[in-house]
Amino acid sequence: MSTSFEKYQKRRLISSYFSVVISISLVLFLLGMLGLLVLNTKKVADHFKEQIALSIYLKETAKEVEITQLQKSLSLADYTKSAVYVPKEEAAEKLSVEIGEDFIDYLGDNPLQNSIDVFLNADFVTPELMEEITNELLAKGFVDEVIYDKPLIALLNDNIKRISFWVLIISGVFTFIAVLLINSSIRLSVYSKRFTIKTMQMVGATKSFIRKPFIWKSIKLGVVGIFVAWIGMGVVIYSLNKTFPELLLIEQPLILGAMFLSIFVLGVFISWLSTFFATQRFLNLRTDELYY
Amino acid sequence: MSKPVLFLKNASIFQRESLILSEVNVSINKGEFVYLIGKTGTGKSSFMKTLYGDLPLQEGDGEIVDFDLRTLKEKDIPFLRRKLGVVFQDFKLLNDRTVNDNLLFVLKATGWKDKKSMETKIDEVLGKVGMKTKGFKYPYQLSGGEQQRVAIARALLNDPELILADEPTGNLDPQTSVEVMEVLQDINKNGNTILMATHDYALLLKYPSKTLKCDENQIFEVVQKTV
């Protein structure tokens, strides 16, 4: 027997749950996106850091064996991402293209040196470590000089530090807002049942018995919210990956999985905690105080 | 004579800091039907609330269905209420579920497990109040008198030693009041003790019984004629 009246009642209930689900999913979605940002600031920063080359200029006297040996030891070193040997002819060609005229022609000689361009792993791109690597290389007799853009590295490190700091602060603020928002929408839905809660107490139900179905309901709504958030995150990650494949967003299933899982855990935890406190609040009130 | 179901000695009842009733000495024995009368604001409801643990007893001694009201702990309140049946003026049914589910909730909340015996019990109490055929309805589909019968049925579920009825007829028309009163009288005849707060003097005249009166911060027994 489902009359149109009952259907209407049910629809009204569903729409009030709807707002809880929406607020949970929006907030979790936002948190997920922030998580993605935090996880990827490092990756973006590393991406920039690994563009920086350390050029080792070799003396004319350097022997072939020494060069290949250096190349080998460089490619084995843990700070190297890649090392490319650039013979001076190739360097000259590149430079000619860059300045737009064939300078060897009027100089009559190639003044450039043979060099090895080393691209470092991001973790080693700090002023201190690069200094160390430079000194180590200079100790070899056939190395003339080691050149890299010092101010750029200092600037890069400073900026990355500053940006990560603010990303963290903003994430913290958003997490706080998230908890607050979910909490208040759950509180509201529990508040609407405060007289029901009181009645249940009047007939001899214990607090935990009354609380249980409320918590279940919230967790169920929370899980629906989590799924909605997941779908949103999935869509964003998919389209970001299409636009910026160099971020390798999808290449790290473990990190992504951990992020989705932590969104789930967070969603369930917040729903549980908010419902617990919201019901507890009304369970502890005396009947008269419900009207205040 | 056996121990009274309810007794209060030199009890004072406060709503927060303000004194509502003082030097309350009341004793109710098993099987009695007792009225509690008095104008609004004389403390009838506060008195009732103290009895079912919604207001703490701060002064004097009190014992109800073997619970000491002075030392009553928060966590014992649910268990006190299981030995009482409380009927309210505004019925206080759970509006989000059917009559059967209302009763089922109480049974589950008070520790019943067996489905069969729960169904039998629900049938039994609904039969007592003449509502056997209305179990599938929602409270808002019932009239006030029917809702109050359901509320009484709910109060009967755990075979309470004492039924507290706080103006059970307050929201009902005179004829329905009489019907609800008949139900309460029947229950009383079956051996249940009932304390009923009311200001419906017509009922008192029709069903005379022991009567307590609240007036000027006191509760005292009155003889029917002087009402």
Side-chain angles (χ1 to χ4, degrees):
Chain A
M1 195 188 81
S2 74
T3 59
S4 62
F5 176 71
E6 270 167 47
K7 272 188 194 150
Y8 169 71
Q9 290 282 331
K10 237 171 223 153
R11 215 170 40 234
R12 271 181 45 182
L13 269 181
I14 287 169
S15 72
S16 82
Y17 293 144
F18 189 68
S19 64
V20 176
V21 169
I22 286 292
S23 75
I24 290 178
S25 59
L26 277 180
V27 154
L28 289 178
F29 171 73
L30 213 66
L31 276 180
M33 288 299 98
L34 268 171
L36 205 65
L37 190 63
V38 171
L39 285 179
N40 284 295
T41 32
K42 184 163 162 48
K43 225 185 287 170
V44 173
D46 288 357
H47 179 74
F48 283 117
K49 281 180 174 176
E50 284 169 2
Q51 304 286 313
I52 292 174
L54 186 89
S55 303
I56 306 169
Y57 290 98
L58 305 166
K59 287 183 183 155
E60 285 296 314
T61 54
K63 293 185 196 98
E64 192 113 349
V65 201
E66 286 172 327
I67 296 172
T68 29
Q69 206 158 34
L70 178 61
Q71 244 185 311
K72 251 185 209 157
S73 68
L74 276 175
S75 59
L76 285 177
D78 50 1
Y79 52 76
T80 314
K81 188 163 188 257
S82 62
V84 200
Y85 175 65
V86 187
K88 60 180 179 183
E89 294 78 22
E90 200 185 313
E93 247 172 67
K94 260 193 209 158
L95 190 60
S96 325
V97 173
E98 244 170 67
I99 58 178
E101 49 189 324
D102 196 357
F103 62 94
I104 299 175
D105 246 11
Y106 59 79
L107 283 178
D109 189 22
N110 185 354
L112 300 175
Q113 291 168 294
N114 292 326
S115 69
I116 299 178
D117 280 348
V118 184
F119 294 93
L120 299 174
N121 277 325
D123 291 344
F124 292 88
V125 185
T126 63
E128 298 80 25
L129 285 172
M130 286 189 85
E131 186 76 43
E132 226 171 272
I133 295 169
T134 309
N135 288 338
E136 192 185 311
L137 289 169
L138 281 174
K140 295 186 195 331
F142 54 91
V143 173
D144 191 26
E145 54 180 343
V146 177
I147 289 182
Y148 58 90
D149 196 339
K150 270 187 193 167
L152 179 66
I153 286 166
L155 199 68
L156 197 60
N157 274 304
D158 268 6
N159 279 336
I160 287 168
K161 254 185 219 154
R162 201 173 307 144
I163 291 171
S164 330
F165 173 74
W166 282 108
V167 166
L168 271 182
I169 294 250
I170 291 171
S171 313
V173 170
F174 268 95
T175 313
F176 182 69
I177 294 175
V179 174
L180 224 63
L181 257 179
I182 295 180
N183 186 43
S184 77
S185 66
I186 285 182
R187 265 256 295 268
L188 203 59
S189 79
V190 172
Y191 176 80
S192 70
K193 299 245 168 148
R194 65 199 189 285
F195 289 108
T196 303
I197 290 176
K198 217 65 226 174
T199 303
M200 289 173 169
Q201 274 189 303
M202 284 302 158
V203 297
T206 57
K207 289 182 181 181
S208 61
F209 184 88
I210 297 172
R211 207 185 291 127
K212 221 179 288 164
F214 279 97
I215 287 181
W216 257 120
K217 180 100 232 169
S218 296
I219 288 184
K220 269 190 238 161
L221 293 180
V223 168
V224 175
I226 289 164
F227 277 117
V228 175
W230 274 4
I231 292 171
M233 281 159 64
V235 169
V236 169
I237 289 174
Y238 176 78
S239 48
L240 267 181
N241 190 55
K242 264 198 152 167
T243 333
F244 307 102
E246 66 269 23
L247 283 177
L248 303 173
L249 280 174
I250 301 183
E251 314 282 295
Q252 291 166 300
L254 214 65
I255 291 185
L256 274 188
M259 198 177 75
F260 275 80
L261 190 72
S262 43
I263 289 291
F264 184 88
V265 171
L266 196 74
V268 170
F269 180 70
I270 295 177
S271 329
W272 174 78
L273 200 71
S274 312
T275 318
F276 183 90
F277 282 119
T279 44
Q280 193 64 16
R281 194 178 123 77
F282 296 112
L283 285 169
N284 285 342
L285 283 180
R286 285 202 279 110
T287 314
D288 301 340
E289 293 167 330
L290 286 184
Y291 297 93
Y292 293 146
Chain B
M1 215 170 89
S2 65
K3 211 170 137 193
V5 182
L6 157 72
F7 82 85
L8 290 169
K9 220 171 108 189
N10 290 326
S12 295
I13 290 166
F14 295 86
Q15 265 284 14
R16 293 179 183 250
E17 276 78 43
S18 54
L19 179 73
I20 306 291
L21 294 165
S22 63
E23 289 172 52
V24 178
N25 291 296
V26 172
S27 168
I28 294 176
N29 291 317
K30 201 166 157 38
E32 280 188 307
F33 190 110
V34 181
Y35 287 110
L36 177 66
I37 59 168
K39 282 187 286 189
T40 48
T42 49
K44 292 194 303 285
S45 287
S46 299
F47 180 69
M48 294 299 240
K49 277 180 181 161
T50 309
L51 297 185
Y52 58 75
D54 208 23
L55 273 180
L57 180 66
Q58 294 173 359
E59 269 180 45
D61 292 320
E63 198 176 296
I64 182 164
V65 295
D66 299 326
F67 280 86
D68 187 339
L69 283 171
R70 265 316 279 281
T71 57
L72 187 67
K73 293 211 178 57
E74 176 103 25
K75 67 174 180 13
D76 294 328
I77 292 176
F79 301 96
L80 162 66
R81 289 179 185 160
R82 288 175 195 189
K83 293 179 87 176
L84 298 173
V86 191
V87 180
F88 303 93
Q89 180 176 4
D90 54 352
F91 325 132
K92 291 208 195 302
L93 297 172
L94 303 172
N95 281 306
D96 56 350
R97 58 198 85 194
T98 62
V99 169
N100 276 336
D101 288 342
N102 260 280
L103 302 177
L104 197 64
F105 173 84
V106 177
L107 290 179
K108 279 186 180 163
T110 51
W112 290 54
K113 292 277 187 296
D114 183 44
K115 220 170 165 209
K116 263 267 156 51
S117 58
M118 287 199 280
E119 275 168 20
T120 326
K121 188 74 199 179
I122 289 174
D123 258 12
E124 181 198 323
V125 292
L126 283 180
K128 274 187 189 164
V129 297
M131 291 287 294
K132 225 169 187 170
T133 55
K134 304 276 176 85
F136 63 91
K137 293 221 173 192
Y138 282 87
Y140 55 78
Q141 294 171 324
L142 299 174
S143 71
E146 288 173 322
Q147 288 189 51
Q148 195 58 293
R149 283 159 187 253
V150 174
I152 293 170
R154 180 177 68 184
L156 291 172
L157 281 172
N158 283 309
D159 299 313
E161 293 176 35
L162 173 64
I163 293 175
L164 300 173
D166 193 355
E167 301 195 21
T169 60
N171 273 354
L172 306 175
D173 61 79
Q175 200 186 335
T176 316
S177 296
V178 170
E179 286 170 26
V180 167
M181 199 58 201
E182 288 285 353
V183 172
L184 287 173
Q185 288 287 325
D186 283 345
I187 293 166
N188 178 237
K189 279 194 194 101
N190 286 333
N192 288 86
T193 320
I194 297 179
L195 172 62
M196 171 172 159
T198 186
H199 47 223
D200 193 339
Y201 289 72
L203 288 180
L204 262 79
L205 294 174
K206 198 161 181 201
Y207 305 96
S209 189
K210 178 176 168 180
T211 305
L212 302 171
K213 186 171 184 181
C214 275
D215 202 7
E216 293 182 349
N217 297 344
Q218 302 274 325
I219 290 186
F220 44 86
E221 192 170 340
V222 287
V223 186
Q224 284 273 326
K225 273 180 277 176
T226 64
V227 167

